[in-house]
Amino acid sequence: MTFEDQVDLALRAEALRIDPPITDLVEGGVARGRRLQRRHRARMVATGAVLTLVAGVGSVLAVPSFTGVGGSGPVAADDTAGGDGGGGPAGDAPAELDPDAVLDAVSALLPPGEITHANASSHGPTSAWVDFVYDDGDGASWMSATVTLAAVGATPSCTAALDGICEDRMLDDGTTVLLEAGPYYHQEGREPGRLQWRATAASPSGLTVRLDEMNAPSEKRSELTRAEPPLTLDQLAAVVTDDVWRELTAGLPVESEEDRAAQEAADEAAAAVAALEEARVGAELAADLGPGWVGGGLEMPRSAVPSPGQRAGLPEGYHGAVVNRDVFATGSMTLEDLCAPGVEKGLESLPCEPAGEGVWIHRVQSVGEIAAGDPVQDDVSVLYVDDDGMLSHVRVWVSEPAEASTPERRAAALTWLDEQVEALTRAAMAAVVEPGR
Amino acid sequence: MAGSAEGFMEFATSCSGRLFRTAWLLTGDWHLAEDLVQETLGKVYRAWTRRARPDDPAAYARTTLVRTFISQRRRRGASERPTDSVPEVAVPEIDVALRVTLIGALGQLDDKDRAVLVLRYWEDRSVEETAVELGLSAGAVRSRCFRALDRLRAVLGDGALWPESRPTPNEVS
């Protein structure tokens, strides 16, 4: 029995040993749920006037009307915008931002519609992220929102990937509102109709609220449901500048600049130690691959790269040629998992081919129509499974932009990959023969 | 349909036992586990009544529990460590000292590493499912799992945790 098997059994036995206090758990859980509901209702009463406007006639947004996109008219906004202290609900200040409360608040600020597939998660005590599908009756839209309270205010800037319209506005209280709209994919010709619109409000006090919407029910790989996202940019701006965000984040304990700097320094020191260890792993891998390979060092940790001589044959300009190795304990990964054929994100995984006792070759290749700017990629991996089921996986990949690729260049790259199989096999077997790497 | 708690009590009664076992492995403390499950059920209750019954309430509750655990631990910092107290429940097949050692060893792990182990082995989640529940990449789950096992091995010693002569879980009531 391996140590992993022992852990598996011991955890199960330990969990099954105890006798859960079911009645206390259920009663306590319901009581807390009702308490959360009461708090929520109290919050919503505080913002009731604004919500009525959002759902009803729609007042004029405090930010100057954004005329670039949309045009069905602004919905509503509170002119105090995304908050800088003061106010806030009475009673105990929350210890952290409640993601469910963020989801509730966004939902309440949208025009009438149906919300499904909602998720809400915490990104630390003062940051939350939510996403959901919103349908106002004219087509489902994937929407996401982020609310973050920091020690100091940030200045939002135009997102390079959103290659469309980007305008900013300054509110009276110093809040910057950034409005962006454009195609989701920045590559020319790639789903130009898939649109992403976004509003970001950043106050000098450190509160940042962002809301994104699309004209499709998911971020990627879905049919478009409408010509444009459901809310105009002014409507998005009304949501991110609503006063509810100031109330939800009032009193949250924000990490000071000094604490943040100290934590960053500690993280950097720990990262430097970890990077050295990862560079050592890369050097070991290079040694197992054999002559012609060197460790990736700090730039490519845990990896090995070919020397110029070893790289000979791979067409000039090709990227990659980086080797990585994973070793999986018995039972934690199977050949079936790694060799599963299929196509995902333009890469086809071919069935594994046997290549000796316990050795399989696995190839992955770009297929289909590849957009200019996207890579044409080819991988080859060697998998080795020992008698106990321990599995090692050593992979090398190469790629180049589609516009540079020719059948001749790709054939030469595939030949080069084939020439590396012997070294990959050596490294795969070495990891299992000498486990603990 | 939003606004109704219909079905919640039945769900909570049927799943709270498993949630508590998971919480026990995560916290190693009876009272913290109780608190964690009640907090989780409270959040599920509100989602259930505010929006709609989640598509897969058990999975929703498990994800909520694990994320609440990590969030609470981050907030409380390192000041709370699992106790060595094990409730008095008679299960003669398992050595009490061994149980304390296991819980103690789990308590030495980073919170996310511990959550990875519990999801992978007790909850039988795949690497990919664990990654989604914890908001990590699949690679990060694998590396955390290896690191956690290494740490446990270092604390417990290879072979010390579950000698071959010990009963299988099916033999444990």
Side-chain angles (χ1 to χ4, degrees), chain A residues 221-276:
Chain A
R221 294 186 294 280
S222 55
E223 295 292 323
L224 304 184
T225 50
R226 51 198 299 153
E228 292 182 341
L231 273 66
T232 65
L233 285 169
D234 283 340
Q235 286 176 308
L236 287 179
V239 173
V240 298
T241 55
D242 192 276
D243 205 37
V244 70
W245 307 120
R246 187 184 63 181
E247 295 177 11
L248 278 179
T249 54
L252 285 176
V254 180
E255 197 173 36
S256 73
E257 194 61 15
E258 291 75 23
D259 289 345
R260 195 187 59 74
Q263 185 61 49
E264 274 186 9
D267 289 348
E268 280 177 18
V273 172
L276 286 174

Side-chain angles (χ1 to χ4, degrees), chain A residues 1 3-4 6 9 12 14-15 17-18 24 29 32 34 37 40 96 100 103-104 327-328 333, chain B residues 21 24 35 38-39 42 45-46 49-51 71 75 91 99 121 124 142 146 158 162 164 169:
Chain A
M1 186 187 293
F3 183 76
E4 191 181 15
Q6 293 181 42
L9 291 179
R12 289 172 193 280
E14 178 60 27
R17 180 188 62 76
I18 59 173
D24 289 349
R32 290 192 195 201
R34 288 181 175 147
Q37 264 191 330
H40 170 74
E96 70 174 19
D100 279 336
L103 181 57
D104 287 338
V327 181
F328 301 100
M333 183 59 73
Chain B
R21 295 178 200 281
W24 166 252
D35 181 69
Q38 289 183 349
E39 186 72 18
Y45 177 88
R46 198 175 65 139
T49 54
R50 281 285 305 156
R51 299 195 287 277
S71 170
R75 198 166 69 230
V91 183
R99 285 171 11 219
Y121 296 112
D124 277 335
R142 290 191 188 99
F146 297 148
D158 218 347
W162 197 282
E164 298 286 355

Side-chain angles (χ1 to χ4, degrees), chain B residues 63-76:
Chain B
T63 303
T64 301
L65 181 129
V66 174
R67 290 184 179 178
T68 302
F69 162 71
I70 289 171
S71 170
Q72 284 182 346
R73 300 286 293 197
R74 190 193 299 120
R75 198 166 69 230
R76 288 171 178 159

Side-chain angles (χ1 to χ4, degrees), chain A residues 119-370:
Chain A
N119 297 292
S121 58
S122 173
H123 283 191
T126 60
S127 182
W129 180 86
V130 303
D131 78 324
F132 52 88
V133 177
Y134 167 75
D135 192 343
D136 60 0
D138 292 328
S141 164
W142 181 71
M143 302 183 83
S144 65
T146 306
V147 178
T148 299
L149 184 65
V152 292
T155 304
S157 54
C158 299
T159 311
L162 262 180
D163 187 18
I165 296 159
C166 179
E167 287 192 19
D168 60 18
R169 298 281 186 271
M170 179 76 81
L171 304 189
D172 291 345
D173 68 349
T175 295
T176 302
V177 179
L178 194 70
L179 303 171
E180 299 171 87
Y184 176 78
Y185 290 110
H186 62 278
Q187 297 100 325
E188 194 174 345
R190 184 174 182 184
E191 284 204 76
R194 180 176 289 271
L195 304 176
Q196 183 174 28
W197 293 2
R198 168 184 299 165
T200 307
S203 81
S205 62
L207 175 62
T208 300
V209 182
R210 198 179 91 182
L211 179 61
D212 282 74
E213 60 172 349
M214 294 185 70
N215 57 338
S218 64
E219 189 179 7
K220 296 176 181 173
R221 294 186 294 280
S222 55
E223 295 292 323
L224 304 184
T225 50
R226 51 198 299 153
E228 292 182 341
L231 273 66
T232 65
L233 285 169
D234 283 340
Q235 286 176 308
L236 287 179
V239 173
V240 298
T241 55
D242 192 276
D243 205 37
V244 70
W245 307 120
R246 187 184 63 181
E247 295 177 11
L248 278 179
T249 54
L252 285 176
V254 180
E255 197 173 36
S256 73
E257 194 61 15
E258 291 75 23
D259 289 345
R260 195 187 59 74
Q263 185 61 49
E264 274 186 9
D267 289 348
E268 280 177 18
V273 172
L276 286 174
E277 167 60 16
E278 295 196 328
R280 186 190 64 75
V281 172
E284 273 186 2
L285 172 57
D288 289 343
L289 286 163
W293 292 90
V294 293
L298 295 175
E299 287 187 4
M300 275 180 280
R302 306 186 71 86
S303 305
V305 295
S307 64
Q310 188 71 21
R311 202 182 165 93
L314 186 64
E316 193 72 27
Y318 248 89
H319 307 307
V322 178
V323 178
N324 284 289
R325 175 168 62 186
D326 290 310
V327 181
F328 301 100
T330 304
S332 63
M333 183 59 73
T334 65
L335 271 179
E336 288 72 26
D337 286 338
L338 289 169
C339 297
V343 179
E344 187 184 359
K345 295 183 182 176
L347 289 174
E348 180 179 20
S349 165
L350 301 173
C352 289
E353 304 162 11
E357 186 74 25
V359 179
W360 277 263
I361 309 291
H362 184 222
R363 296 174 198 278
V364 174
Q365 60 188 20
S366 292
V367 290
E369 193 170 328
I370 301 165

Side-chain angles (χ1 to χ4, degrees), chain A residues 284 327-329 386 388 390 428-437, chain B residues 153:
Chain A
E284 273 186 2
V327 181
F328 301 100
D386 75 356
D388 295 328
M390 183 178 279
M429 298 179 79
V432 172
V433 172
E434 303 171 53
R437 288 157 186 260
Chain B
R153 188 183 285 112

Side-chain angles (χ1 to χ4, degrees), chain B residues 88-114:
Chain B
E88 293 304 317
V89 180
V91 183
E93 292 90 338
I94 302 177
D95 185 276
V96 171
L98 184 62
R99 285 171 11 219
V100 173
T101 306
L102 172 65
I103 291 297
L106 286 171
Q108 294 191 23
L109 300 179
D110 170 278
D111 295 332
K112 283 190 179 173
D113 288 358
R114 186 169 180 161

